[in-house]
Each structure stands twice: as structure tokens, then as C-alpha cells.
Amino acid sequence: MSPTAVTAPMRKYRGRFAPSPSGPLHFGSLVAAVGSYLDAKANQGDWLVRIEDIDTTRVVKNADSDILNTLHAYALHWDEPVVYQTQRLPLYQDITHSLLKQKLVYGCTCTRKQIKAIGGIYQGHCQALNHNTQSGALRLVQQHPTTQFNDLIQGDITVNSALSHEDYLIKRSDGLFAYQLVVVVDDIDQGINRIVRGADLIEPTARQISLFKQLDSPVPEFAHLPLAVAKPGFKLSKQNYAPAISKQNPKPALISAFEFLGLPVITDLIDLNIEQLIAWGIKNFSLKQVPQVSEIQISQHPRSQKVQFTHLSK
């Protein structure tokens, strides 16, 4: 490097946890919350909470309040006001309008059944048909297909090439904006530069990277944590009726989350209060310690809250 060369200033770490309010937090979502929080704080960064309620058909009444109360119970405190996607519809509409003006969006009348019948990958059938764009589904013209990226936990990732080249939905036929659009717009607007979340979102990440590029915005770093699964391929989720974690006695689940994330858990941790536990976690956390697997099977002893883990292949 020449004496006059100047390196770009390091942007302050900005991370986030973005649950959907479709039910209470379970152990799998706790892992994502704790992993993203510890990584942000270990890097002296900000940690934001965003309620991803864009799919109003899945929203459960008061689930957002329950989620926020649970985060407080686990001493996972956010640094800025909580953002709700349903309060940001004008922003999504502005981005969509801009893409329409650039002729990068077109109307689509194809149904899921029709797409499934041709193999599950949309083939651009409606692109030249000039369907109405004022109502119905909208698809984005894919200009930056991404098939490979580096993950800070999982390493080099290669995804389905056909899926990466697909013109995917940014607005659904029922008028709701699609997750793939709003999550990227939100991350850009909030200045998120590292995303720590579950490995079930590895494939959508490729599409999101392409949209960051299409919107001429910096691509965040990605780190995908192993999924907590009851058995191989069966992740803990609200849809699968995973039990809610306790707000009244958070220490056992938090310590289990630490162990899941590869922290050097010691017996004395149970004697710490919840704030002290989080401080210990921040001091000892590193992405390098997180198991480089896509799934970890968990089992809980029926007479205790002790959780055992079995690492599954990548």
C-alpha cells in the first residue's frame, strides 16, 4: 500500500433480530435472538428488533408484545425503537414504484399450482404479456443472479442455480408485499451490515444478495446459525407447535442456548443472574465457536430442563 493510500472507515456493526408475530418464542428462535445479540455486542455494535408482520394472514394477536416481553426477560435489550413492517408500507410502495419505472417489474397471473406443474421454478411466462401491474402479483426481473456466497459460519455456500435465476415475487396476488422485498428494503433502510439468523434462510439469502445489488446497496455479511431440530429435517417452529420458552425462569433455556452456540459453558453459570449471564455470554462469544453444521438435534429430559444436543451433518 502506498503511503498516501487511505482505507475505508469501518462501519459500526448494526445487527438485528426479526421475528414474525405468529406465536411465542421457542428454543429455536431463542438461539437466533441470542446468537445475533451476542455477536452484535461482542463487536460493540447495535442490536435492533424488527417485527416482521408483513404477512398479516399469519399474525397472532398480542404475539408481538409477548415476544418483546420474552426478550426483556432474557436481558436481550434492543438499542433503537422496535420497527413493524406493517407501518412501513409507503416505503415498500416507493421502492416498487421505482422498479416499475425502470421496467424491472412485471405483472404475473401464474398460480402456485401452475408453477409446481412445470417443476416448481417460474420460467418467465408472463414477462412479455403486459399484464396489469396495478393489481395482482408482481415479479422482479432478475438482473444479478447469485449462486454462491460466503457465510461466516457455514463457509462457502452454493445454491440452486435455476432458483437463483428465477424472477421471484415481490408482491403477492392478494396485494401483500412479499418477504423477499421487504426484508431487504428494511435492512437497507436500517443500515444493517451483519445478519445472524437460522440456516433455514440460507437459500433465500442468495435472492436477497441479488436484490441488495439491484438496489445498488452494500451487501451485509451473513452468518447462518444451525437450526434446532426435533429430528433431522424437522425444525422447531411455531407451525410445528414448539413449546414456548419460559419468561419466569429464563436461566436454563439461556444456558442451553449458550451451549448450543458453542460457548464454553461451566456449572457455575447457574449461580449468575440473567444480566450477568448475558455479560458472560458477550465476553465469551465468537462466531468461530458456533458448530459448522446446518442442524443440531435437541432432546430434553422429561424430569429436568437439561437439554442434550446431537450435531447433524452439514
Side-chain angles (χ1 to χ4, degrees):
M1 182 182 294
S2 68
T4 57
V6 178
T7 57
M10 178 72 72
R11 294 186 296 160
K12 182 178 180 180
Y13 184 120
R14 286 177 65 81
R16 47 77 161 179
F17 174 59
S20 60
S22 54
L25 295 185
H26 51 77
F27 183 76
S29 45
L30 177 66
V31 166
V34 171
S36 60
Y37 183 88
L38 295 184
D39 191 52
K41 296 307 170 182
N43 287 283
Q44 296 78 50
D46 291 329
W47 188 71
L48 284 61
V49 171
R50 180 168 72 228
I51 300 296
E52 296 198 332
D53 58 347
I54 195 66
D55 187 352
T56 53
T57 64
R58 297 178 58 233
V59 171
V60 173
K61 186 178 181 180
N62 298 324
D64 60 325
S65 298
D66 185 71
I67 288 170
L68 298 178
N69 289 336
T70 302
L71 293 176
H72 270 308
Y74 284 77
L76 301 172
H77 306 306
W78 48 95
D79 295 305
E80 295 179 10
V82 175
V83 164
Y84 287 74
Q85 289 179 329
T86 49
Q87 297 173 358
R88 298 161 65 79
L89 299 181
L91 174 61
Y92 309 142
Q93 186 57 55
D94 286 347
I95 297 296
T96 302
H97 182 67
S98 174
L99 292 168
L100 280 164
K101 285 175 59 178
Q102 299 173 64
K103 300 188 184 304
L104 294 175
V105 171
Y106 59 90
C108 178
T109 60
C110 298
T111 65
R112 288 185 180 180
K113 184 177 180 180
Q114 290 171 325
I115 296 170
K116 185 177 180 179
I118 59 172
I121 303 293
Y122 177 74
Q123 305 292 337
H125 174 76
C126 293
Q127 185 171 2
L129 298 181
N130 295 318
H131 290 309
N132 180 17
T133 58
Q134 301 305 309
S135 61
L138 297 177
R139 288 188 180 271
L140 180 72
V141 178
Q142 178 60 270
Q143 291 195 316
H144 298 277
T146 299
T147 58
Q148 295 180 312
F149 64 93
N150 179 262
D151 187 272
L152 296 177
I153 296 172
Q154 305 295 337
D156 291 331
I157 300 292
T158 300
V159 299
N160 185 322
S161 179
L163 200 61
S164 298
H165 285 76
E166 183 183 42
D167 292 350
Y168 57 84
L169 290 176
I170 63 167
K171 197 172 187 181
R172 300 177 357 183
S173 59
D174 59 8
L176 296 177
F177 288 102
Y179 167 77
Q180 296 287 12
L181 173 74
V182 300
V183 68
V184 172
V185 171
D186 287 337
D187 286 334
I188 292 171
D189 185 66
Q190 294 185 288
I192 303 300
N193 51 29
R194 182 179 291 182
I195 297 170
V196 180
R197 59 187 183 184
D200 54 329
L201 292 170
I202 284 178
E203 196 166 73
T205 293
R207 286 182 169 179
Q208 290 161 26
I209 289 172
S210 74
L211 186 53
F212 278 107
K213 294 176 180 178
Q214 194 144 336
L215 296 177
D216 197 26
S217 295
V219 177
E221 296 178 305
F222 287 90
H224 287 91
L225 303 166
L227 286 182
V229 299
K231 58 183 179 181
F234 191 83
K235 74 170 184 173
L236 298 184
S237 70
K238 297 162 190 173
Q239 289 75 25
N240 294 331
Y241 306 105
I245 51 175
S246 172
K247 292 191 284 290
Q248 291 71 38
N249 183 27
K251 285 199 289 185
L254 182 58
I255 293 172
S256 291
F258 286 171
E259 186 177 359
F260 186 99
L261 292 167
L263 273 75
V265 171
I266 54 177
T267 305
D268 293 347
L269 288 183
I270 199 67
D271 297 326
L272 303 180
N273 64 37
I274 202 72
E275 297 283 354
Q276 291 170 331
L277 274 173
I278 287 294
W280 179 91
I282 293 170
K283 181 178 179 181
N284 288 276
F285 181 78
S286 169
L287 287 179
K288 295 178 181 178
Q289 295 173 310
V290 177
Q292 193 181 6
V293 295
S294 59
E295 295 183 347
I296 297 179
Q297 186 171 340
I298 69 170
S299 57
Q300 189 167 352
H301 290 285
R303 295 186 180 180
S304 75
Q305 293 183 315
K306 175 64 177 175
V307 178
Q308 290 186 324
F309 305 114
T310 302
H311 292 188
L312 303 176
S313 59
K314 186 174 178 182

